[in-house]
């Protein structure tokens, strides 16, 4: 499936970008959603895929700008979804975690920033990938702070051994 993204904060010339999606489950879900949009007469390819839905479950019309949901609206919808999912803390979850979590998780599995860029095909440089990768390594307990960590370890005072009486 080929998915187009019209703009993003890194798209300085608003040229958009296309992504290839190969996950059969994701493709099936999107096809079902597009079928539902078709039943409402709103499945034209120029219309945004993500659109607002009223609290009564009705699809909101596409605004004159032709845009779909805002980033804020996507985040609110994501938090509502997470709140219904057991074992997840909706207060801590953000839709940005979907983007930032992937490089963090891949780094924790041992992938380099360069490999993560190839796998995700979503970064222009390793700068942000490295930032998220460090967070993933730290979370996995695999970070190497070098001399700073050695200095901190040297400050740890070990308790005296238990004397035997």
């Amino acid at each position: 499936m080929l998915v187009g993204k019209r703009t993003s904060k890194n798209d300085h010339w608003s040229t958009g970008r296309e992504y290839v999606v190969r996950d059969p489950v994701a493709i099936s879900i999107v096809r079902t959603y597009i079928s539902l949009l078709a039943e409402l007469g709103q499945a034209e390819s120029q219309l945004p895929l993500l659109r607002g839905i009223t609290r009564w479950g009705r699809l909101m019309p596409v605004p004159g700008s032709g845009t779909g949901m805002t980033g804020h609206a996507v985040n609110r919808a994501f938090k509502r979804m997470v709140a219904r999912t057991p074992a997840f803390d909706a207060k801590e979850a953000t839709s940005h975690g979907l983007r930032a979590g992937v490089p963090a998780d891949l780094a924790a599995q041992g992938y380099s920033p360069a490999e993560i860029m190839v796998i995700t095909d979503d970064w222009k440089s390793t700068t942000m990938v490295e930032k998220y990768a460090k967070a993933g390594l730290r979370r996995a307990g695999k970070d190497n702070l070098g001399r700073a960590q050695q200095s901190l370890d040297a400050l740890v005072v070990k308790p005296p051994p238990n004397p035997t009486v």
Side-chain angles (χ1 to χ4, degrees):
M1 174 172 59
L2 192 61
V3 178
K5 184 176 179 183
R6 291 183 184 172
T7 61
S8 72
K9 67 180 181 181
N10 294 328
D11 186 3
H12 303 291
W13 295 277
S14 296
T15 55
R17 176 129 187 242
E18 290 184 338
Y19 297 88
V20 175
V21 177
R22 293 184 176 91
D23 179 359
V25 174
I27 293 170
S28 174
I29 291 168
V30 171
R31 282 185 176 155
T32 301
Y33 179 68
I34 291 172
S35 295
L36 294 170
L37 289 175
E39 289 176 18
L40 298 170
Q42 297 207 20
E44 293 84 14
S45 61
Q46 77 275 10
L47 293 174
L49 188 61
L50 298 178
R51 302 214 229 125
I53 297 176
T54 67
R55 70 175 109 178
W56 300 282
R58 300 201 105 144
L59 189 66
M60 293 178 67
V62 176
S65 65
T67 59
M69 293 174 74
T70 65
H72 183 66
V74 170
N75 196 50
R76 282 195 332 256
F78 179 76
K79 283 184 173 287
R80 281 194 305 271
M81 180 184 72
V82 170
R84 295 189 308 262
T85 306
F88 282 96
D89 184 2
K91 291 178 200 156
E92 296 296 320
T94 66
S95 58
H96 183 260
L98 297 173
R99 176 177 167 82
V102 171
D105 290 346
L106 289 171
Q109 293 175 32
Y111 290 95
S112 72
E115 290 172 315
I116 293 169
M117 284 180 63
V118 170
I119 292 167
T120 61
D121 191 29
D122 196 29
W123 307 92
K124 290 186 172 120
S125 75
T126 60
T127 305
M128 287 306 292
V129 176
E130 288 169 354
K131 178 182 174 186
Y132 295 134
K134 281 183 184 177
L137 291 171
R138 195 169 41 251
R139 193 177 65 219
K142 297 178 180 178
D143 56 341
N144 181 6
L145 301 176
R147 287 178 20 173
Q149 185 64 50
Q150 291 170 1
S151 299
L152 291 171
D153 290 343
L155 294 174
V156 175
V157 178
K158 296 183 179 172
N162 239 353
T164 54
V165 183

